[in-house]
Every structure is written in structure tokens, then in C-alpha cells.
Amino acid sequence: MPDQTQARSATASVQQRTDAIEAAFEVRGLKAAEFIAEAEHLTEEKWIPENGARVVAKAWTDPAFRQRLLANGREAVAELGLAMPAHHRHLVVLENTPTVQNVICCTLCSCTAFTIIGLPPDWYKDLEYRARIVRQSRTVLKEMGLDLPAEVEIRVWDTTADTRYMVLPVRPPRTAGWSEQQLAAIVTKDSMIGVARL
Amino acid sequence: MDGMHDLGGKQGFGRVRYALNARVFHEPWEKRVNALYSLAVKLGIFNMDEYRHAIERMEPRHYLSASYYERSLTSLATLCVEKGIVTHAELERRAQGSFPLSAPSAPGRSNVAGREQFKPGDLVRVRSDYVPGHMRMPGYIRGKSGIVVSESPAYPFPDAHAHGVKAADEQTYDVRFRSEDLWPNSADPALVHVAVFQSYLERTSEAT
């Protein structure tokens, strides 16, 4: 006799489960397909690390902007036409120095300032980073390729509320005289998370 | 709740699976899930605290084995069923198989009575509260002392907002802890900053 229990409990694939929700939304007139296309545009073209890179390059070249950015991140990025979702009420910009390395994480889920630095990469949302970065910061950064000198103090920021963080990396000395556009081109998402230096 | 999601400081995990220019999405269905949950938030079917809590309510084995976007999918489906948008049976019929959902929610709570205002420089201790519902206090700071560094604007109180309980918005404080206080003799030296809701804090005069 076939095992009915087993047959009934076979879990649908993630694709099938996604299809099911999408279809349930569609038949209720919730315009799922339309919104999926719109979201694709946002994630591919609007919420990209090039936004944060512009902010960093501006902060490196305009001391008055840098002051405003450190005082009120949300208002300062708005000057560059960059918006944040209504529930992200605060953007705190963390300034690295030769002897301070800031690094951000979300041990409870995956919170990030995604409209500014881009959506979080896979490893940021993974179990290992979330479990270890708060407790073994220097070891984890070294494993990820950032071997910090002993005199560098590490500050880890756990995104446990809707305040959002971004790291302002140290401007590399080799970039003296570069234009804002040239500077923006070297700023990576990882450097704004704080797991890389430029 | 002291759930499986509360990973900060858990030991035994290996190297971060890191790559330069790592991807955000790996498969097309992940983008659809990400869009569908934000559509549901936009439509007011649920809020972000309910969404996070429904992920936390996943059966622990499922939580640990699911990818990030499968957790998102499970929360989305669970809340759509709980809010009466769709039945579990309809989802399983459409998916042509079983569709695992998260466990039911326990009661939430409102703001803690007698919560205090703090200012930068104040020494604070995280209350030893244990709640069955949602909260945004990572377990590794429970009972620990730190220093208030700054204050954020008021946000909906997660312990209430995830459960439809009425509560006042609360500010959060950026509290700076020392990793050696959080995990004595068992952490790389660092400062760990956590955004802590007012209800989770009390004034103290002594370090951890």
C-alpha cells in the first residue's frame, strides 16, 4: 500500500510556493505581477551601492557636507536626491579613521540602509556572519581578507532598530586631486558595510 | 522570544561564505518573494515588526535549513493566512504540496511601566526581561551594562507593534558595550553598539 502520509506531506518547492502566493494575490486583484516588475526596477536600478558611493565621494571632497552627513545622515543624503523608506527614521554615518574601523551587521535578521548602500549581499544575511561578527570581529574580518593592524579599534554596530547605518571609509592617500566621479568609482558596498578598506 | 533567529554570539559556526561582489539574489523566485512581501507591507496587510516576528516563529529546524528568501516566503504566507487573505488549504492546493508555515504567535506587550529617559554618557543596564512574543533585544545584551552614546527618533515599540498591541512610540538609545563584558574571556576585543529601545533599559551605577 502506498504511503499516503509521506505523499501528502511532500513539501512544495520554493518556486511552487512562491507561485502559489503570487497567484493568490493576482486572483484577489492585488496586482502582484505589476508590483514584481516595479520592484525589479527598484532593486536593479535604484537601490544600488553607487548611491552610497556618491555620498562618500561628496563627503571626502566637501567638508561642510561631511559635517552635515555626520550630524544628520537622512537629511544630508536627501540633498543628493537619495530617499530612505519612511520607517528608516534615522541614518547614522560611521566615520572610519586610520585607527578606527566600523562594521555593521544585523544579528537578528538582515536590516540595512538598502536604498543607500544597496541590498545586503548573501553573506551578510547568512548565519555565520550574524552569529560571529559581534563576538569574533577581528578574526572574522581577517578571514574575509581585512587583516587590521593591532592598533585599529573595531566598532561593531548591530542594527536592532530601524535606525540605519553606513560606514564612511577612509579616503585612500593615492586619490589626492581626484574628481568626485573618480572617487565614487572606487567605493564598494563592502567598504560601506565595513568589511573592506579602500 | 529567545528564538533560533537570535544568533549574535552563538558559537560553532564556521567561516563566512564571503565573495567579492557577492550577489543579493541567486534565483528569480527570490526576487518575486522580496517584491511580494513588500507589496503586502505597502497594502497594509502586515507591518515590518509582524513580518520579522513571523520569521522568528518558524520551527527552528526549518529556520536554520531555509535560505534567507525561504524565510521571507514563510513569513509572508503565514501572515497572509493569519490575516485571512488566503487559507492554508488554498496555498497548498496552488503549490501542489505541503506549505510549511510558522508557529502561532504568543501575546505581545506594551511599553514597560516607569521607563526612563537617558542622555549620552549615562550608564545603563539591559533589563533581564523574558517575553514570549516579539522583541528586538538580542539575547547577548540581556542583563549587561553599557554606556549611552546617542539617541534615535521614536519608533513603534516592536514588542507591541508585532502583535497589534497599543503602545507609545519609543526612542532607541545607541548603547556601547565592550565585547569582553558581553562574553568574558571569550571574545575578540571590540566595542559593540546596539540600538536599544527605552523599555529594555534601566539606570545603573555599576559596570557589568
Side-chain angles (χ1 to χ4, degrees):
Chain A
M1 184 175 161
D3 184 351
Q4 295 290 330
T5 319
Q6 198 58 38
R8 281 178 51 144
S9 65
T11 303
S13 71
V14 281
Q15 286 88 352
Q16 287 173 306
R17 280 180 270 162
T18 308
D19 290 346
I21 291 264
E22 185 179 339
F25 272 37
E26 279 302 342
V27 300
R28 285 162 178 80
L30 301 179
K31 298 196 162 77
E34 199 177 296
F35 192 82
I36 288 169
E38 202 179 302
E40 171 112 27
H41 167 71
L42 290 172
T43 56
E44 301 287 316
E45 289 163 52
K46 293 286 179 194
W47 300 336
I48 49 176
E50 286 78 359
N51 297 337
R54 276 171 58 211
V55 174
V56 169
K58 177 105 177 137
W60 282 343
T61 52
D62 180 343
F65 176 78
R66 184 175 142 275
Q67 285 308 320
R68 294 198 295 281
L69 182 69
L70 295 173
N72 186 328
R74 208 174 192 280
E75 280 179 16
V77 300
E79 291 177 31
L80 303 186
L82 299 174
M84 297 182 69
H87 72 280
H88 294 177
R89 295 186 188 173
H90 203 34
L91 175 68
V92 177
V93 177
L94 311 164
E95 188 177 33
N96 281 350
T97 72
T99 55
V100 172
Q101 179 70 27
N102 292 285
V103 55
I104 63 177
C105 66
C106 176
T107 60
L108 298 173
C109 45
S110 66
C111 301
T112 28
F114 61 84
T115 61
I116 309 299
I117 69 170
L119 288 160
D122 47 16
W123 54 263
Y124 182 93
K125 301 172 283 192
D126 219 340
L127 309 173
E128 288 81 4
Y129 185 73
R130 290 168 48 203
R132 295 181 61 210
I133 191 67
V134 283
R135 184 163 177 174
Q136 294 183 282
S137 50
R138 193 171 292 271
T139 307
V140 170
L141 291 175
K142 187 175 178 184
E143 288 172 2
M144 294 172 76
L146 181 61
D147 192 1
L148 293 168
E151 67 270 20
V152 175
E153 176 182 273
I154 299 175
R155 299 179 187 166
V156 186
W157 299 75
D158 192 355
T159 314
T160 50
D162 279 324
T163 291
R164 292 293 178 264
Y165 306 101
M166 73 172 274
V167 174
L168 176 58
V170 174
R171 178 174 175 172
R174 69 175 191 279
T175 62
W178 287 22
S179 71
E180 236 178 274
Q181 286 76 9
Q182 284 173 304
L183 290 168
I186 63 163
V187 179
T188 60
K189 185 189 284 186
D190 290 358
S191 72
M192 294 183 284
I193 293 173
V195 297
R197 293 195 139 194
L198 299 172
Chain B
M1 65 183 282
D2 291 324
M4 193 48 70
H5 68 285
D6 188 3
L7 287 169
K10 291 278 187 298
Q11 294 178 293
F13 286 102
R15 293 171 78 97
V16 176
R17 290 180 270 180
Y18 176 68
L20 278 176
N21 304 313
R23 293 162 68 178
V24 173
F25 299 104
H26 291 266
E27 297 188 41
W29 68 270
E30 298 176 339
K31 290 186 182 180
R32 288 193 288 143
V33 164
N34 199 52
L36 289 167
Y37 106 74
S38 49
L39 174 61
V41 171
K42 193 178 167 193
L43 293 172
I45 297 172
F46 51 82
N47 65 43
M48 285 301 299
D49 284 303
E50 292 173 306
Y51 166 73
R52 294 188 187 113
H53 188 45
I55 292 177
E56 295 159 8
R57 293 191 269 127
M58 285 173 69
E59 196 276 321
R61 275 189 203 85
H62 188 197
Y63 183 94
L64 283 179
S65 60
S67 69
Y68 176 76
Y69 289 105
E70 184 181 349
R71 298 199 293 268
S72 224
L73 168 66
T74 307
S75 170
L76 168 65
T78 299
L79 290 166
C80 285
V81 169
E82 290 176 353
K83 303 281 184 177
I85 304 293
V86 60
T87 63
H88 194 187
E90 179 183 336
L91 286 181
E92 296 203 320
R93 176 175 58 75
R94 290 188 182 278
Q96 298 175 307
S98 125
F99 197 138
L101 300 180
S102 304
S105 184
R109 64 168 184 173
S110 192
N111 317 92
V112 168
R115 63 205 153 91
E116 293 180 69
Q117 299 281 343
F118 304 103
K119 58 180 193 312
D122 285 354
L123 191 58
V124 288
R125 180 163 49 218
V126 180
R127 293 172 190 266
S128 285
D129 281 355
Y130 295 84
V131 302
H134 183 56
M135 83 182 316
R136 293 289 287 178
M137 180 212 73
Y140 68 81
I141 62 170
R142 181 184 277 134
K144 301 289 183 175
S145 300
I147 293 167
V148 172
V149 173
S150 66
E151 187 178 318
S152 269
Y155 291 107
F157 185 49
D159 307 35
H161 201 228
H163 297 271
V165 171
K166 259 180 87 89
D169 285 3
E170 280 191 10
Q171 37 295 53
T172 61
Y173 295 97
D174 163 19
V175 181
R176 186 179 68 212
F177 300 90
R178 292 170 65 248
S179 59
E180 301 100 311
D181 291 337
L182 299 173
W183 301 281
N185 306 312
S186 182
D188 290 351
L191 299 173
V192 179
H193 291 252
V194 184
V196 190
F197 280 85
Q198 201 182 14
S199 276
Y200 305 162
L201 290 172
E202 60 191 0
R203 198 174 296 279
T204 182
S205 54
E206 50 193 280
T208 297

